[in-house]
Amino acid sequence: MMDGVYRELPAPAPLRSVVRCRWLSVSGRDEHEHGKRIVPDGCLDLIAGGGRVFVAGPDTAAWRSEMPAGTRLHGIRFRPGHAPRVLGVPADELRDQRIDLADLWGARGRAFTERVLNSPADLIDVVRETAAPDPVLDVVLARLDRGVPRVSAALTGLDLGARQFRRRFGAAVGYGPATYLRIARLQRAISLAEEVPDLATLAVGAGYADQAHLSRDCRELTGATPSVYFRSVQDRSVQDRGRPAALRSSA
């Protein structure tokens, strides 16, 4: 069976405040037959391939990608909260969707799509003119990523109106800070899954109240039970140890 391939590359240094990484994916036969589970990570991606250039996410639940085997996709992944500065569209208008760039930008989007499909390396050129960053938003996102127990703790000491800031947060990230906190906690669990022996230990390490809390969030955000989902994460890690360091198999 042909395996899928997923490889991440660093963003160019001048763009790293906006772009988390570039990536390349080649779909395997298993993805074509069973679909590839993509879980929420708080990011938006701009993707070229399969005859399209489109924006993906931000997602609030698992997305099932079903590409024909051998489909090559190039992507750039924006840092949480920064994609609207480039795209000129509030992130909450893109939530849980895949939208062609031509539908967002009209003639400019169609011209860029044609250019990128002929030269995928040009995808990064979309990040040129951006609006000013929001330093308060970056502080709150960093606190949520580090694992504060509640959203109120992430807002401590900041001079802002909570209701107004939640609207600002939704426009930048795609959903409210409470949803982002849940997604960040799941991502911590995924990063720890290779190192812990059981789900109870994993729940504590990732910041969940208990294993039941982990189970509930895992089902809602991945569509799978934690035993099934985290076993797939561990199995993928074992397979990747036999690959070149820069390559990771698709889920």
Side-chain angles (χ1 to χ4, degrees), residues 144-196:
L144 294 172
D145 284 335
R146 284 200 297 269
V148 293
R150 294 176 297 280
V151 170
S152 58
L155 305 181
T156 300
L158 299 175
D159 183 18
L160 48 84
R163 181 177 298 179
Q164 183 183 33
F165 179 73
R166 287 172 196 275
R167 285 198 295 270
R168 207 162 101 201
F169 191 100
V173 178
Y175 29 68
T179 298
Y180 185 87
L181 179 60
R182 294 179 67 211
I183 290 171
R185 191 182 288 128
L186 176 69
Q187 289 295 322
R188 281 197 301 280
I190 293 171
S191 68
L192 294 171
E194 300 173 24
E195 306 168 5
V196 297

Side-chain angles (χ1 to χ4, degrees), residues 15-228:
L15 305 181
R16 288 177 189 168
S17 64
V18 179
V19 178
R20 172 176 286 181
C21 68
R22 297 175 292 152
W23 55 264
L24 167 68
S25 172
V26 182
S27 58
R29 189 173 302 166
D30 190 60
E31 177 178 341
H32 173 61
E33 295 175 352
H34 303 291
K36 175 182 177 182
R37 189 198 321 267
I38 300 172
V39 302
D41 62 0
C43 299
L44 282 85
D45 289 47
L46 181 64
I47 302 170
R52 303 173 63 195
V53 175
F54 61 98
V55 178
D59 295 326
T60 58
W63 184 277
R64 183 67 67 173
S65 174
E66 298 176 348
M67 292 288 182
T71 300
R72 181 179 290 262
L73 300 178
H74 296 260
I76 59 174
R77 180 161 302 139
F78 295 98
R79 293 189 178 281
H82 289 266
R85 296 171 50 201
V86 174
L87 300 175
V89 179
D92 48 8
E93 294 185 11
L94 306 172
R95 183 173 55 230
D96 295 322
Q97 298 190 63
R98 304 296 186 264
I99 300 178
D100 286 352
L101 193 64
D103 291 335
L104 291 179
W105 285 2
R108 184 162 68 101
R110 289 191 292 275
F112 188 77
T113 295
E114 183 176 352
R115 172 187 164 192
V116 169
L117 291 180
N118 289 321
S119 179
D122 291 352
L123 188 66
I124 196 70
D125 288 349
V126 75
V127 190
R128 285 189 169 175
E129 298 181 5
T130 67
D134 184 339
V136 174
L137 178 73
D138 286 344
V139 169
V140 175
L141 284 167
R143 291 176 176 177
L144 294 172
D145 284 335
R146 284 200 297 269
V148 293
R150 294 176 297 280
V151 170
S152 58
L155 305 181
T156 300
L158 299 175
D159 183 18
L160 48 84
R163 181 177 298 179
Q164 183 183 33
F165 179 73
R166 287 172 196 275
R167 285 198 295 270
R168 207 162 101 201
F169 191 100
V173 178
Y175 29 68
T179 298
Y180 185 87
L181 179 60
R182 294 179 67 211
I183 290 171
R185 191 182 288 128
L186 176 69
Q187 289 295 322
R188 281 197 301 280
I190 293 171
S191 68
L192 294 171
E194 300 173 24
E195 306 168 5
V196 297
D198 56 72
L199 292 175
T201 305
L202 180 62
V204 172
Y208 289 93
D210 51 32
Q211 186 175 334
H213 186 194
L214 167 64
S215 297
R216 185 169 60 253
D217 272 13
C218 184
R219 286 191 183 93
E220 293 179 5
L221 294 173
T222 74
T225 63
S227 58
V228 169

